[in-house]
Amino acid sequence: MRWGVKEMKKQQKTNDKRKDSSRFTHHVSRITFHTLSILLIICVLPSVNAQEISVGSKRFTESYVLGEIAKKVLEDAGYHVEFKQGMGGTIIVWEALRSGNIAMYPDYTGTIQETILKSATPMTSGQMRSALAEHGIGMTDELGFNNTYAFAMRRAHSDSLNIRKISDLQDHPNLKVGFTHEFLERADGWTPLSQRYGLQLRPHGMEHALAYVALNSGEIDLMDAYSTDAKLVEYDLAVLEDDLHFFPKYNAVFLYRLDTDPAAIDAIHKLGDTINEGLMTRLNAEAEHTKDFAAAASLYFSEVEHRTVEVESESFVSKLLRWTGRHLMLVGISMVIAILVSIPLGIRASRPGVLSQIIIGVPGIMQTVPSLALLAILVPVPMLGTSPTTAIVALFLYSLLPIVRNTATGLQNIPTPLRESAAALGLEPTAQLTKVYLPMASRTILAGIKTSAIINVGTATLAALIGAGGLGEPIISGLALNDAEVILQGAIPAALLAILVQVCFDGLDRLIIPKGLRLEEVSQQAAVGE
């Protein structure tokens, strides 16, 4: 009789586990299905508008301002304009233009010649247009100012060392130097310049706006600048003479796709020869003073066209909702795909063999690739470019390792007696996996998903560097303006979102983890406490 009672209890426990397993599988399937459906709907909601046009910009104040001017000009011509600001350096924005992710952006003739077309000899405007046309790209007339590279120092320091021109730097190899990362790598940047002038300086890479702060505070002695930067006047900096005439002309122009609507091209061509260096410097100063690129652009229309342009200021709440919505979309889609791919891979990786080592190793290698480098690698890939899809692919790749590794570890840690019991019950291998092993490993798997999601929330801020939006937008803008308040508009919500994700996963733990497993863990913790 006692044996019968034991068997009944044992059978009851087995039934309970099966119910818990079934409930676990049901919850996971339902949540995955509904989440994927909602995210796919979000992706396809935006409709294609025949009158919509995208304008891009690089990641510094002047490019933002010129982009806002172009946006207003195109809106006046009847277009709905999407302004993808602060997309990154030359190569990223150029690839976005070539791939059709944007229709136009502001650039400079020196950059076009040296970095885009990689010409070793000076080119005329006609030669540039012919070379660009081979890529399906057109170029407007020059806007009217030359924003060349320049070397800047604190005036008092320059006077004390009697440094007036770049060649004078030969006698001061110990100066502390901070150059932008792009200038360090450009074909018309530091390496050929140092060879031309015979300089032995050892520069460090710095963000352009932060370099001004470092120079003004005395942390560095020399930086690369743009000749129309407002801070050259604000900080009363000395600009060194390019006495060997190394730098080419950097006349501002707009590059555009030749397949852009002709009316839009005509509208942007009207900006030619309307901005001189003095006006551009004032526009840059206005942007840094007001922390509003659109307000600076309105000053252009006031001074050039003698008309008042009302700046439509989007409320902070509206911007925050827009940033957060895009951020959640990027994180959500990448996470759903990562879960659907990683769990099967983790199941296979739980078995011994070389293939399992490869499955764990490849995502591990992906984690070592810097996020900026990964974005730069993905942008030239066909069908990706600077679209949100590129950011989703990058986030997906970064999400794989924690989920794959935790799935494999959770399955590998299932005790042998439990495996033998599952086989003794006569369950098929697939049933053993879905009804016993995965539910038993569910806590470990969920912990991997939670880790991946939290990391993903922070990494997604870099999507703004390719114009994919999200909470990185105010962070990138704040860096361009050197404004901590603007940076925090994106950094604080991103941090709060990461905390919210963790809280949600703690709640999800109670919802989908079989009750028996949670009770078992509580008992183990109590035993450890005793």
Side-chain angles (χ1 to χ4, degrees), residues 58 90 107-118 149 182 186 188 248-250:
K58 297 185 186 180
T90 300
D107 213 325
Y108 304 89
T109 54
T111 300
I112 295 168
Q113 174 185 306
E114 301 282 346
T115 305
I116 294 176
L117 299 177
K118 302 184 185 304
Y149 269 109
E182 182 172 353
R186 289 174 64 105
D188 56 347
K249 291 284 187 180
Y250 289 85

Side-chain angles (χ1 to χ4, degrees), residues 283-297 481 483 486:
L283 298 182
N284 290 334
E286 181 70 11
E288 294 178 7
H289 173 70
T290 61
K291 314 300 181 185
D292 190 333
F293 302 115
L481 294 168
D483 190 319
V486 177

Side-chain angles (χ1 to χ4, degrees), residues 56-60 64 83-88 93 464-467 476-477:
S57 81
K58 297 185 186 180
R59 203 174 61 246
F60 58 93
Y64 280 84
F83 182 25
K84 296 184 177 181
Q85 56 184 9
M87 296 178 67
V93 188
L465 288 173
I466 57 171
I476 301 303
S477 297

Side-chain angles (χ1 to χ4, degrees), residues 511-528:
L511 177 64
I512 69 173
I513 300 301
K515 184 177 180 181
L517 293 179
R518 285 188 273 118
L519 292 175
E520 180 181 348
E521 180 169 305
V522 171
S523 300
Q524 291 175 350
Q525 290 176 349
V528 172

Side-chain angles (χ1 to χ4, degrees), residues 23 27 443 446 503-515 518 522:
R23 189 180 301 113
H27 278 306
R443 291 192 75 97
L446 189 63
V503 171
C504 289
F505 269 96
D506 291 341
L508 197 61
D509 181 280
R510 296 180 177 276
L511 177 64
I512 69 173
I513 300 301
K515 184 177 180 181
R518 285 188 273 118
V522 171

Side-chain angles (χ1 to χ4, degrees), residues 207-494:
E207 176 67 28
H208 186 64
L210 298 180
Y212 271 113
V213 177
L215 181 65
N216 192 47
S217 64
E219 295 179 40
I220 60 175
D221 303 315
L222 178 72
M223 67 172 286
D224 64 306
Y226 309 128
S227 59
T228 56
D229 282 351
K231 282 188 167 55
L232 291 175
V233 178
E234 180 183 344
Y235 292 155
D236 189 27
L237 300 178
V239 176
L240 305 187
E241 178 189 350
D242 180 16
D243 49 315
L244 296 184
H245 307 290
F246 172 80
F247 293 118
K249 291 284 187 180
Y250 289 85
N251 294 314
V253 295
F254 270 89
L255 296 182
Y256 58 86
R257 292 182 57 84
L258 291 175
D259 58 7
T260 303
D261 190 351
I265 295 176
D266 290 341
I268 211 68
H269 266 290
K270 294 177 181 177
L271 294 174
D273 201 27
T274 62
I275 309 175
N276 57 39
E277 291 184 20
L279 175 57
M280 193 67 247
T281 301
R282 292 198 300 277
L283 298 182
N284 290 334
E286 181 70 11
E288 294 178 7
H289 173 70
T290 61
K291 314 300 181 185
D292 190 333
F293 302 115
S298 68
L299 181 61
Y300 163 83
F301 296 99
S302 174
E303 295 207 11
V304 175
E305 300 184 1
H306 307 291
R307 64 186 177 103
T308 301
V309 173
E310 292 186 5
V311 178
E312 297 180 3
S313 296
E314 185 180 6
S315 69
F316 173 70
V317 173
S318 175
K319 289 190 289 186
L320 181 60
L321 290 174
R322 174 167 55 82
W323 296 331
T324 305
R326 175 55 67 91
H327 204 89
L328 288 172
M329 186 197 80
L330 297 174
V331 172
I333 294 177
S334 61
M335 281 302 303
V336 168
I337 299 173
I339 292 169
L340 295 177
V341 172
S342 299
I343 291 180
L345 288 176
I347 292 171
R348 179 60 187 84
S350 67
R351 306 168 191 167
V354 176
L355 180 58
S356 298
Q357 296 176 0
I358 294 174
I359 292 174
I360 296 291
V362 171
I365 293 173
M366 292 304 306
Q367 288 281 357
T368 66
V369 178
S371 50
L372 284 175
L374 182 59
L375 285 173
I377 292 170
L378 292 175
V379 164
V381 175
M383 305 300 291
L384 290 183
T386 56
S387 66
T389 304
T390 304
I392 291 171
V393 170
L395 294 173
F396 159 75
L397 293 174
Y398 281 128
S399 301
L400 291 174
L401 182 62
I403 306 175
V404 171
R405 185 169 55 192
N406 275 38
T407 300
T409 301
L411 293 174
Q412 290 167 348
N413 289 340
I414 293 176
T416 301
L418 185 59
R419 295 178 180 273
E420 294 173 347
S421 298
L425 289 173
L427 296 175
E428 296 293 329
T430 302
Q432 292 178 27
L433 176 66
T434 59
K435 296 180 179 298
V436 181
Y437 300 160
L438 283 177
M440 290 297 296
S442 58
R443 291 192 75 97
T444 306
I445 295 172
L446 189 63
I449 296 173
K450 178 171 71 173
T451 300
S452 183
I454 292 172
I455 293 173
N456 220 342
V457 169
T459 307
T461 56
L462 293 175
L465 288 173
I466 57 171
L471 290 168
E473 278 194 37
I475 296 175
I476 301 303
S477 297
L479 286 172
L481 294 168
N482 190 31
D483 190 319
E485 183 179 343
V486 177
I487 293 173
L488 291 176
Q489 289 177 3
I492 292 177

